[in-house]
Amino acid sequence: MQLTGAEILLECLIEQGVDTIFGYPGGAVLNIYDALYKYEQMIRHVLTAHEQGASHAADGYARATGKVGVCLATSGPGATNLVTGIATAYMDSVPMVAITGNVALPLLGKDSFQEVDITGITMPITKHNFIVKNINELASIVRKAFYIAQEGRPGPVLIDIPKDITAQLGEYKYEKPRVVDKSLNELDEVSVANAIGLISGAKKPYLYIGGGVITAEATEELKTFAEKIQAPVSSSLMGLGGFTSDHPLFTGMIGMHGTRTSNAAVSECDLLIAVGARFSDRVIGKVSEFANSAQILHIDVDPAEINKNIVTTHHLVGDIKEVLKVLNSKINNQERPEWTKKIKEWKEKYPLSYCEDDSLKPQYIIEKISEITNGDAIITTEVGQNQMWTAQYYQFKKPRTFVSSGGLGTMGFGLGASMGAQVACPDKTVFNISGDGCFRMNCNELATAVEYNIPVIIVILNNHVLGMVRQWQNIFYGGRFSATNLEGRTTDFVKLAEAYGAVAYNITKKEEVEDTIRRAIAVKKPVVINCEIDKDEKVLPMVPPGAPLSHLILE
């Protein structure tokens, strides 16, 4: 049948199972928005306060569900406002399709009003991008974009559509979405046998998991694998929730702000098995001293990550769920009582701790949220101290319950992401843990949360400074606090939240925490909880950048 380009686009989105788009209109996408008016019963559009908020919301939607998140913006500044969100999704391997409008074909390359080369700009931060120059190619491009976003290592794809393409008529015919191939073409029997040989021969194997475990929906297979080989398990920031935190084999996060047990175990193990992890600099510290007593087995879907940051002994490339299924079917149950006993002793001797007194501590707030929600909420964070305290003190028991910007470290990410996660999972309680510096960046999205009654709960750990930067200045720069003090520009976040129409609470005492959190959950509206904490509270332990993981700063 004959449809306009805008209608073809929406029909293709419906084909792909899209039910929500986060976006902001403008001249170059008016034809698409006109079509959205007609398709409003099939696709929900959430109008954000800013295009960056739309990109983070699409990201949060994708991380919470595993589906492709979709955002839409107009040409020029609308498109460039998506860039930070696209880069965030790219660094953390999040499946997302960003759709931008552009000027009409005859105006391309002429510095026309609100024209930018968005495909050129986003080339380094997308898996692939397209500019549609023929109406007859639009449908196939949309279908390819969704496949590419999900296939192999997921990531964002951008489709740039000139305005005249959205107005032209073209032929549309329904096609069933192409199934993403998870076959293990590169996994031969010899390679599997070599991996099993390494595992069986190890006396002290140790698992380091990353976000790839969650992306592959491989948490059950991982649990079976860890229990069969009796290997302790640590997690990168992005892997939290990939292995339940209350399991006796779990040692906590590894790396710069990892637990003392995790960092000690990786230094002592004789086989490190990395699963869906990329050996980030925040994990490995000093390269020459990372797991230098161990052979390394790397399991990952992306061959480009093999031997990129750390030289491995052996590797298995393929979908992690399928690889673990193969290993589980072939490997025998193993016992390592001395190794697991040592890990247990370390965990008991070196637990995560903080100075508990009558003052309001951020760690205590996180612990209370974890206790009250029983690890069943979706927790988004901003970036910095708030993010690390959450990673350390919230007990993540399920996959897709932790949503945070890992690779890019995007301040302002959490509020948009929390809205996307809440829209995707309306029956879940969603918290966004924020610092005051991060909250300032995109607090305008409170207007979106209120307008659509998206009942996210924003907890601001308000220390009136840029906490993590100040912590580095304190430890590494002789206490020279340059441009990190926010006390002179204090904003009353309770009044600000109420001005947007949100419910707001202020906490200054430890005894106010539990009741306030329960009230916030019960109200079923957007809530801001401002928590006044001390500016000198630090995230510990901490490994100095570039130092061995054994060089922990503990106080």
Side-chain angles (χ1 to χ4, degrees), residues 204-477:
K204 294 184 283 187
Y206 191 57
L207 277 160
Y208 149 48
I209 70 165
V213 170
I214 296 168
T215 299
E217 309 282 356
T219 54
E220 286 302 314
E221 289 77 9
L222 175 71
K223 180 173 179 286
T224 300
F225 181 63
E227 290 174 347
K228 285 193 90 166
I229 68 172
Q230 282 296 290
V233 181
S234 65
S235 173
S236 71
L237 180 72
M238 302 312 300
L240 291 172
F243 193 84
T244 180
S245 60
D246 56 3
H247 196 288
L249 287 173
F250 189 62
T251 64
M253 194 164 65
I254 187 173
M256 180 175 282
H257 293 292
T259 65
R260 194 168 174 182
T261 300
S262 291
N263 288 354
V266 77
S267 300
E268 188 161 320
C269 69
D270 61 2
L271 175 65
L272 179 64
I273 308 169
V275 185
R278 62 185 180 86
F279 295 99
S280 158
D281 58 293
R282 289 296 172 100
V283 165
I284 63 178
K286 188 174 182 179
V287 176
S288 62
E289 295 191 34
F290 177 75
N292 58 357
S293 300
Q295 297 186 89
I296 296 176
L297 171 62
H298 193 180
I299 304 171
D300 204 273
V301 73
D302 185 0
E305 289 297 338
I306 305 299
N307 297 321
K308 186 174 84 173
N309 295 331
I310 290 290
V311 177
T312 61
T313 309
H314 188 57
H315 61 266
L316 300 173
V317 174
D319 180 81
I320 290 164
K321 187 183 186 80
E322 301 305 317
V323 172
L324 290 178
K325 280 181 181 178
V326 171
L327 291 175
N328 288 338
S329 70
K330 294 180 179 293
I331 203 161
N332 297 320
N333 289 340
Q334 300 169 7
E335 296 294 333
R336 294 181 171 87
E338 291 183 12
W339 180 227
T340 51
K341 181 185 176 185
K342 188 167 193 177
I343 294 292
K344 183 181 178 183
E345 289 172 352
W346 278 343
K347 286 171 68 175
E348 291 171 353
K349 188 177 180 180
Y350 307 124
L352 277 172
S353 62
Y354 58 95
C355 181
E356 296 187 60
D357 53 34
D358 292 333
S359 65
L360 185 59
K361 297 281 187 178
Q363 301 93 331
Y364 176 80
I365 296 167
I366 302 299
E367 285 180 331
K368 275 296 169 187
I369 295 171
S370 182
E371 176 190 314
I372 290 167
T373 62
N374 194 30
D376 194 44
I378 294 175
I379 307 296
T380 70
T381 75
E382 300 293 348
V383 167
Q385 289 181 318
N386 64 85
Q387 180 185 39
M388 292 298 113
W389 283 321
T390 303
Q392 291 176 331
Y393 289 95
Y394 191 92
Q395 298 300 307
F396 292 98
K397 299 176 182 178
K398 298 177 181 178
R400 302 199 181 281
T401 55
F402 181 59
V403 175
S404 191
S405 170
L408 197 65
T410 305
M411 291 177 70
F413 167 81
L415 179 49
S418 70
M419 295 192 307
Q422 185 75 81
V423 167
C425 307
D427 297 330
K428 285 277 191 182
T429 299
V430 178
F431 280 84
N432 177 43
I433 311 299
S434 178
D436 48 319
C438 290
F439 183 70
R440 292 167 186 271
M441 288 199 166
N442 282 332
C443 63
N444 53 347
E445 292 303 341
L446 268 178
T448 311
V450 169
E451 181 182 352
Y452 292 94
N453 194 28
I454 303 170
V456 293
I457 301 165
I458 301 114
V459 177
I460 304 172
L461 304 176
N462 191 352
N463 52 13
H464 301 278
V465 293
L466 300 178
M468 186 59 88
V469 183
R470 188 179 192 276
Q471 176 171 325
W472 280 51
Q473 288 173 335
N474 189 320
I475 297 172
F476 305 119
Y477 292 85

